Amino acid sequence: MNKGQLQNEILAIIRTVFDNKKALEKIHTFLLTEIYEEPKPEEIPSKYKKAVSEIADGLSAGLICFFNPDTLEFEDIPKDLAYDPEEFEMMTGETFESAGLKHDEWNNCITIEPMESHDSFKIMEYFIDEVRDTNFQEKLINALNRRKPFANFKYLVENSDYRQKWFDFKQARYELYVWDVIKTGIS
């Protein structure tokens, strides 16, 4: 049986007991005690921490980042303008050169794109697992299953006691994403 078939069978079993809280609790306990191992977060080398944090901020705002691993310099550009010098000039009134952008001149340049929406969605799903208030957890799950899941989730979290915990969680996940791209680019 391949991995996909196993996943489908496991999900089918879970669906059969979906309304049975006791059975779900047994499955949950079994998974936590017998199967699941908390992943150890990878340590970002101190040399890169500041750049990684700032790049993560830019990515979460929808910017593309160009990173020079030799000098630790980086440049953020709105995604829509990053690959179109004419559009950049039309929107900003400047050329890449007159704006002081140097990434095209770097010998070593790593491009870091914002996360795909399905990856951002996964971060929200993972955060739900961190929420210990089962009522709020259920609201967040429902928000992700309705139309406009990002907006619904954001509204709930930003108007809750979990607001700061969400920002910290999201920032940490973005930083790991950035470090993974940088690490791949420098190896």
Side-chain angles (χ1 to χ4, degrees), residues 109-126:
C109 183
I110 299 170
T111 303
I112 307 169
E113 300 263 349
M115 283 186 191
E116 297 289 331
S117 61
H118 67 271
D119 292 322
S120 296
F121 190 87
K122 283 185 186 222
I123 290 176
M124 294 186 297
E125 288 179 319
Y126 294 147

Side-chain angles (χ1 to χ4, degrees), residues 9 11 15 32-33 36 42 50 65 68 95 151-152 178:
E9 277 197 33
L11 291 173
R15 277 192 285 279
L32 287 176
T33 58
Y36 182 73
E42 185 174 347
K50 185 175 188 291
C65 181
N68 183 335
T95 64
N152 294 328
V178 169

Side-chain angles (χ1 to χ4, degrees), residues 56-184:
D57 288 340
L59 292 182
S60 66
L63 302 175
I64 288 179
C65 181
F66 299 96
F67 177 68
N68 183 335
D70 301 324
T71 63
L72 305 181
E73 292 175 276
F74 61 91
E75 298 177 337
D76 292 349
I77 303 173
K79 187 176 182 176
D80 298 339
L81 307 179
Y83 300 114
D84 189 344
E86 290 175 10
E87 182 75 11
F88 183 87
E89 187 172 354
M90 188 174 77
M91 296 299 290
T92 66
E94 298 182 287
T95 64
F96 281 166
E97 295 80 25
S98 67
L101 298 175
K102 304 178 281 181
H103 65 272
D104 282 336
E105 301 166 11
W106 294 338
N107 290 330
N108 200 357
C109 183
I110 299 170
T111 303
I112 307 169
E113 300 263 349
M115 283 186 191
E116 297 289 331
S117 61
H118 67 271
D119 292 322
S120 296
F121 190 87
K122 283 185 186 222
I123 290 176
M124 294 186 297
E125 288 179 319
Y126 294 147
F127 178 73
I128 291 172
D129 295 336
E130 301 291 312
V131 173
R132 294 293 160 232
D133 177 344
T134 54
N135 288 333
F136 189 62
Q137 195 177 47
E138 218 168 278
K139 287 179 183 179
L140 291 174
I141 291 168
N142 289 336
L144 293 185
N145 289 313
R146 291 194 325 254
R147 273 185 68 240
K148 300 187 177 187
F150 289 92
N152 294 328
F153 184 91
K154 181 180 177 187
Y155 175 80
L156 286 172
V157 169
E158 288 191 0
N159 294 293
S160 76
D161 295 337
Y162 287 92
R163 184 176 190 271
Q164 189 58 50
K165 188 172 182 170
W166 161 245
F167 289 137
D168 295 343
F169 183 85
K170 180 181 171 191
Q171 179 70 16
R173 293 294 174 133
Y174 265 85
E175 287 178 11
L176 289 174
Y177 167 77
V178 169
W179 173 240
D180 193 47
V181 174
I182 291 173
K183 182 176 62 176
T184 302

